[in-house]
């Protein structure tokens, strides 16, 4: 993976763009706006002109959507599994383990050690329920460009560390979505029939996920 950064101006304001060029297997370009910057995931072969074209097309909407979301961090604390946890004397308690809160990036790195085993356990739990006979390897990416990815070739599920802020039922909806790709690769009606079978409230939970409603 190759990482590049550049500035992009829109409505008279300049925004940092972090571009992740991934493997040739990735065909689409994905855009996100978070924490006052853009994150773009694209195939290695993409031309910079295509990135700018997408920013021109989607930039304003992404900024509006990104700024309308609730923020998981504040000066007083942070949302963890849907609950607001206070930062006391500079320390934050993450599911029974405390560490010094330096900044958001360090928070995700420290919390990964605690959060990854929980996610792995939930993935294996739903594998049994959904009849997935080959256990997935589970990994956690800091600030992933998507909440979850099922890489069928390597049989790995990659989940975003940002999920730690949401309640467990919302996290489970992401896991069910990714495991459903074990059976159906696309997002057809048949795919969502599998999702709804094991997560009947998927639409409601997905709306909370995209709206930044943590509990």
């Amino acid at each position: 993976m190759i990482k590049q950064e550049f500035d992009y101006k829109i409505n008279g304001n300049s925004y940092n763009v972090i571009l992740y060029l991934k493997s040739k297997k990735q065909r689409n370009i994905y855009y996100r706006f978070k924490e006052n910057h853009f994150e773009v995931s694209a195939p290695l072969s993409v031309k910079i002109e295509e990135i700018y074209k997408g920013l021109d097309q989607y930039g304003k909407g992404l900024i509006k959507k990104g700024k309308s979301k609730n923020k998981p961090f504040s000066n007083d604390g942070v949302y963890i599994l849907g609950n607001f946890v206070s930062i006391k004397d500079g320390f934050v308690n993450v599911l029974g383990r405390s560490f010094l809160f330096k900044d958001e990036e360090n928070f995700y790195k420290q919390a990964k050690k605690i959060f990854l085993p929980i996610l792995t356990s939930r993935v294996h739990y739903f594998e049994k329920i959904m009849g997935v006979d080959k256990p997935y390897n589970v990994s956690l990416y800091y600030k992933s460009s998507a909440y979850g990815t099922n890489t069928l070739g390597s049989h790995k599920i990659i989940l975003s560390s940002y999920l730690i802020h949401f309640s467990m039922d919302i996290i489970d909806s992401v896991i069910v979505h990714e495991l459903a790709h074990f059976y159906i690769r696309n997002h057809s009606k048949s795919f969502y029939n599998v999702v709804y079978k094991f997560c009947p409230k998927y639409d409601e939970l997905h709306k909370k996920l995209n709206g930044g409603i943590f509990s």
Side-chain angles (χ1 to χ4, degrees):
M1 182 176 68
I2 300 173
K3 178 181 177 182
Q4 298 179 4
E5 295 189 38
F6 58 90
D7 291 329
Y8 170 74
K9 286 189 176 181
I10 185 170
N11 290 340
N13 297 313
S14 182
Y15 296 94
N16 181 241
V17 179
I18 303 176
L19 171 61
Y20 298 97
L21 296 173
K22 299 189 176 181
S23 68
K24 296 180 180 179
K25 293 182 179 180
Q26 180 170 325
R27 297 181 179 181
N28 300 318
I29 303 174
Y30 300 98
Y31 298 86
R32 289 187 73 189
F33 182 83
K34 54 191 300 186
E35 299 172 9
N36 215 36
H37 71 272
F38 289 96
E39 291 186 5
V40 183
S41 172
L44 285 169
S45 58
V46 73
K47 295 181 180 179
I48 194 65
E49 291 82 4
E50 294 181 63
I51 302 298
Y52 276 107
K53 184 178 179 180
L55 289 170
D56 290 340
Q57 183 176 357
Y58 305 116
K60 291 181 182 180
L62 288 170
I63 291 171
K64 183 178 179 180
K65 181 179 178 181
K67 288 187 175 180
S68 67
K69 285 186 176 181
N70 297 321
K71 305 300 181 183
F73 295 94
S74 73
N75 293 331
D76 301 321
V78 55
Y79 279 93
I80 298 173
L81 296 189
N83 299 306
F84 188 78
V85 177
S86 299
I87 297 175
K88 298 180 181 179
D89 299 323
F91 284 83
V92 59
N93 187 304
V94 180
L95 305 175
R97 293 176 59 181
S98 294
F99 54 80
L100 182 65
F101 184 86
K102 297 180 180 179
D103 52 44
E104 294 181 19
E105 183 174 357
N106 182 262
F107 169 85
Y108 289 119
K109 289 180 179 178
Q110 295 294 328
K112 177 180 179 179
K113 306 168 188 176
I114 307 165
F115 191 39
L116 181 56
I118 294 173
L119 289 177
T120 302
S121 176
R122 295 305 290 173
V123 169
H124 293 333
Y125 169 78
F126 279 104
E127 283 173 343
K128 294 179 181 178
I129 293 177
M130 297 174 69
V132 177
D133 55 6
K134 182 181 178 182
Y136 274 88
N137 292 318
V138 183
S139 64
L140 193 62
Y141 276 15
Y142 168 65
K143 288 189 177 181
S144 173
S145 59
Y147 293 115
T149 304
N150 185 333
T151 56
L152 297 167
S154 58
H155 203 68
K156 178 186 290 186
I157 286 180
I158 304 169
L159 297 168
S160 170
S161 56
Y162 190 76
L163 288 172
I164 194 171
H165 304 299
F166 293 92
S167 61
M168 190 56 69
D169 56 347
I170 297 174
I171 295 171
D172 286 345
S173 74
V174 176
I175 292 172
V176 169
H177 179 112
E178 297 310 325
L179 285 175
H181 282 304
F182 177 79
Y183 297 104
I184 303 171
R185 297 193 178 193
N186 57 37
H187 291 98
S188 62
K189 182 179 179 180
S190 297
F191 168 82
Y192 281 105
N193 285 340
V194 176
V195 172
Y196 295 139
K197 179 179 179 180
F198 298 100
C199 185
K201 294 183 178 180
Y202 177 81
D203 288 342
E204 175 187 338
L205 297 170
H206 191 68
K207 186 176 182 180
K208 287 185 176 181
L209 178 69
N210 287 331
I213 301 174
F214 304 113
S215 59

